[in-house]
Amino acid sequence: MLAGKKILLAVCGSIAAYKTAFFVRLLVKEGAEVKVIMTESAKDFITPLTLATLSKNPVHSQYFDNTSGEWHNHVELGMWADLMLIAPLSANTLGKMANGICDNLLLATYLSAKCPVLVAPAMDLDMYQHPTTQENLNRLISYGNEVIEARDGELASGLSGQGRMAEPEELLEIVKKKLTNSAALKGKRVLITSGPTFEAIDPVRFIGNHSSGKMGSALTKAFQDAGAETIIISGPATYLPSSGEVIKVNSANEMLAHAEKYHSDADIVVFSAAVSDYRPENPATEKIKKKEDSLQINLVKNPDIAAELGKKKKHQFHVGFALETTNEEVNAQEKLKKKNFDLIVLNSLNDEGAGFQQDTNKVTFFDKNNNKHKFELKSKTAVAQDIVNQVIKNFE
Ligand code: PMT
């Protein structure tokens, strides 16, 4: 299944490094070509000889061979790979990656890699939970890397909790999925709405919401990884994707105008934006002065972008979101029909870790055939991947 695929495995200093021997063996058995980079401290946990023998390729650690002078080109290694997996990822290397530090071959290769980069952290539970570690992992996600979260279980320290590297068999499945999906949506154009909309009250104030753009950015990345071309129309969000076409707007009317322009050429449309349903009827042209004890602002209905484009839908596959606080499932199913979606992704603000600004989300899918699929709380990257997988099924 991985015949012809080139995988660059980068190993850091962690007790979980012993698992890479099994992992390399599994990759090679699947037909993959494997090259390994090790940090110096990784060699305290597993020998280069073991990984060189199993991968059938010399292991790289230094920029050049001290005795022969042979140069190990990090740019070539990064270009060679179809996928780079850093496993186990130590807190030390994570910190360096998040801050652009480049003091060894692994880091130089990471910085020059053009292929998807996945990381599988492994460390003690307190280290894993430390805000610095979590912030660094989020930084990697914002650079477009994929984090294979550490698993729960017994740790080398004797403690028990989240910190174990995913098992070799799990890593293999993730790599397979990633590589086989990489061309599944080749030639498809995906239009994504993302972020909040800001509806002006006056030149200073607006009606808005808490959407950060994290969900829309994760979706963009996941569709790109599946080979699709993406256009994201984003309200004023903190998070924007680092590649693909990005159109920035403020209001719902602007978002609709751009979405209408790109809709006919799109194959897939994902409505992840939190669009303001109302806007001030007559925004003031100058800052409203504080005079009276109360202030009335008349609001008028904004266009419903998803519903408008739902009326014009021909070949396009439409994915909507439903953000609910009560009667969640019934409301989501009503929106699926009313807005002519093919799939709706329900997230509820009653679920801890779900919704605005979170790095995680807990969703339930409903499709037009009344199929329901409930997912656990997971990273927005993983939720985006689930959505892409569902869309791919429709194009198979
Ligand atoms: O950006 P994050 O901080 O990561 O947060 C992600 C999110 C919570 C914003 C996202 O997961 C989400 O739920 N997005 C949809 C929010 C929303 O407005 O839901 P809704 O139930 O009000 O709308 C239903 C659907 O119609 C949505 O697809 C929405 O984009 C669309 N809609 C709604 C109103 C409107 N005027 N135009 C629309 O297109």
Side-chain angles (χ1 to χ4, degrees):
M1 187 160 185
L2 290 176
K5 299 291 182 198
K6 299 185 180 96
I7 292 157
L8 185 58
L9 174 69
V11 185
C12 305
S14 153
I15 182 64
Y18 84 89
K19 294 185 190 174
T20 58
F22 300 98
F23 179 54
V24 169
R25 200 156 165 267
L26 291 174
L27 287 173
V28 171
K29 266 176 117 177
E30 290 282 337
E33 211 181 314
V34 183
K35 288 189 182 177
V36 179
I37 302 178
M38 296 176 83
T39 61
E40 283 309 314
S41 64
K43 295 177 187 170
D44 292 333
F45 296 93
I46 184 163
T47 70
L49 179 61
T50 306
L51 294 180
T53 309
L54 292 170
S55 68
K56 304 184 172 60
N57 273 311
V59 164
H60 303 281
S61 283
Q62 302 292 341
Y63 287 103
F64 60 92
D65 186 319
N66 255 335
T67 44
S68 69
E70 188 195 351
W71 174 246
H72 300 145
N73 192 327
H74 57 275
V75 178
E76 265 173 26
L77 276 172
M79 301 268 274
W80 169 85
D82 294 316
L83 182 145
M84 180 177 186
L85 171 62
I86 305 176
L89 171 66
S90 65
N92 181 40
T93 297
L94 167 64
K96 290 178 181 178
M97 287 165 71
N99 289 286
I101 295 170
C102 182
D103 64 359
N104 62 32
L105 184 71
L106 185 154
L107 292 158
T109 309
Y110 164 67
L111 286 175
S112 41
K114 291 270 179 282
C115 57
V117 179
L118 279 67
V119 300
M123 60 196 79
D124 210 42
L125 79 163
D126 294 318
M127 291 170 76
Y128 193 68
Q129 276 164 9
H130 195 281
T132 306
T133 306
Q134 291 303 316
E135 201 177 308
N136 286 339
L137 287 171
N138 285 334
R139 271 209 200 175
L140 296 199
I141 292 170
S142 76
Y143 303 156
N145 306 148
E146 210 168 292
V147 176
I148 302 166
E149 283 169 32
R151 307 301 195 231
D152 248 359
E154 199 182 315
L155 303 167
S157 62
L159 296 171
S160 194
Q162 193 178 10
R164 286 170 68 90
M165 185 177 83
E167 294 302 318
E169 292 77 7
E170 281 181 86
L171 292 178
L172 179 71
E173 282 315 305
I174 292 166
V175 165
K176 271 189 191 168
K177 208 165 206 176
K178 188 88 196 158
L179 287 171
T180 46
N181 272 352
S182 69
L185 294 176
K186 211 172 172 64
K188 302 279 182 234
R189 283 168 73 89
V190 185
L191 175 63
I192 297 164
T193 69
S194 176
T197 63
F198 285 2
E199 312 295 335
I201 295 171
D202 69 10
V204 179
R205 300 145 181 129
F206 57 83
I207 293 176
N209 59 66
H210 302 292
S211 173
S212 63
K214 282 183 183 174
M215 196 63 245
S217 297
L219 282 160
T220 306
K221 174 75 177 51
F223 276 107
Q224 287 172 355
D225 285 351
E229 209 181 298
T230 59
I231 301 163
I232 185 167
I233 305 174
S234 174
T238 316
Y239 292 84
L240 288 168
S242 52
S243 53
E245 196 170 340
V246 179
I247 297 166
K248 295 186 195 168
V249 297
N250 279 308
S251 65
N253 272 325
E254 285 175 62
M255 191 174 270
L256 174 65
H258 285 281
E260 277 180 329
K261 236 187 317 182
Y262 291 98
H263 183 253
S264 57
D265 283 344
D267 301 290
I268 300 149
V269 189
V270 186
F271 300 91
S272 66
V275 184
S276 178
D277 287 325
Y278 291 89
R279 67 176 186 279
E281 186 173 24
N282 295 308
T285 50
E286 283 171 15
K287 185 179 174 191
I288 299 170
K289 296 283 177 220
K290 186 170 60 180
K291 282 190 222 138
E292 312 299 333
D293 281 350
S294 67
L295 174 70
Q296 306 286 331
I297 299 171
N298 198 38
L299 301 180
V300 290
K301 227 179 195 173
N302 260 335
D304 189 312
I305 301 166
E308 287 304 316
L309 296 183
K311 287 181 209 156
K312 298 183 179 162
K313 191 168 90 170
K314 290 189 180 110
H315 60 282
Q316 293 88 350
F317 188 86
H318 279 195
V319 181
F321 272 74
L323 181 63
E324 304 295 339
T325 53
T326 49
N327 218 6
E328 288 100 333
E329 297 204 351
V330 172
N331 289 341
Q333 281 164 310
E334 274 176 10
K335 283 178 186 172
L336 173 82
K337 285 198 197 95
K338 211 166 137 195
K339 304 195 188 204
N340 198 12
F341 291 138
D342 297 285
L343 177 76
I344 194 157
V345 179
L346 163 67
N347 44 185
S348 166
L349 291 185
N350 295 322
D351 287 325
E352 205 174 313
F356 291 130
Q357 300 192 345
Q358 309 276 357
D359 295 319
T360 48
N361 210 351
K362 191 172 180 196
V363 302
T364 307
F365 291 175
F366 294 95
D367 69 15
K368 286 205 302 196
N369 306 319
N370 296 323
N371 293 313
K372 172 181 163 185
H373 194 137
K374 214 170 175 157
F375 294 85
E376 295 302 303
L377 182 76
K378 44 173 92 176
S379 68
K380 282 189 175 164
T381 309
V383 171
Q385 191 57 58
D386 288 335
I387 293 170
V388 170
N389 292 343
Q390 190 66 27
V391 172
I392 289 172
K393 276 190 203 154
N394 185 67
F395 284 93
E396 276 169 357

